[in-house]
Amino acid sequence: MTDKVFISAHQMRYLLYVLFALIVSDGILSDYLVSQNLGRELNPVLNTLMGGGQFMLVKVCGALLVIILMWKLYKRQHGVAAIGSLCSLVFYTGIIYWNLFAFAFSRMS
């Protein structure tokens, strides 16, 4: 059975760039919300790192690791990597909107 490529390598690179930006944006928003007591980090591992430089370092390194692994997976299994990346994009887009909603709601009250 042939593996049909429904997303080009060029498109996959842009998808991974956007995913990286969303993960880092989530870290920036989360760090700001927690430092201003407007929200809290629900991940217990990341919660212990909040308020210091380690939190953003972990977020950036984790995002880089995900991007590298997804790119390696794309070279072997195009469809799985593309679907996984798209699902991650949807997930992190939801998280960004949630953080923005929390920020806007906290400013209204």
Side-chain angles (χ1 to χ4, degrees):
M1 186 184 246
T2 42
D3 187 23
K4 294 184 180 184
V5 178
F6 63 94
I7 187 168
S8 69
H10 185 70
Q11 292 169 324
M12 185 65 181
R13 267 190 242 115
Y14 281 121
L15 199 69
L16 293 176
Y17 295 153
V18 172
L19 181 59
F20 178 81
L22 285 174
I23 293 171
V24 172
S25 298
D26 168 48
I28 293 168
L29 281 168
S30 295
D31 195 34
Y32 177 78
L33 289 170
V34 171
S35 69
Q36 299 298 315
N37 290 327
L38 301 174
R40 60 182 186 184
E41 177 63 48
L42 296 177
N43 183 334
V45 174
L46 292 178
N47 192 26
T48 61
L49 300 174
M50 294 301 281
Q54 299 96 357
F55 175 74
M56 282 309 297
L57 181 65
V58 168
K59 284 298 260 190
V60 169
C61 290
L64 283 173
L65 181 64
V66 166
I67 300 309
I68 290 168
L69 292 175
M70 288 303 247
W71 182 250
K72 286 185 180 250
L73 181 62
Y74 176 77
K75 289 183 177 184
R76 283 184 269 124
Q77 295 181 321
H78 304 296
V80 173
I83 290 171
S85 296
L86 286 171
C87 289
S88 297
L89 277 176
V90 169
F91 177 74
Y92 271 99
T93 300
I95 290 174
I96 295 294
Y97 276 114
W98 177 263
N99 285 344
L100 290 173
F101 173 75
F103 176 74
F105 184 72
S106 70
R107 292 295 180 194
M108 286 197 268
S109 16

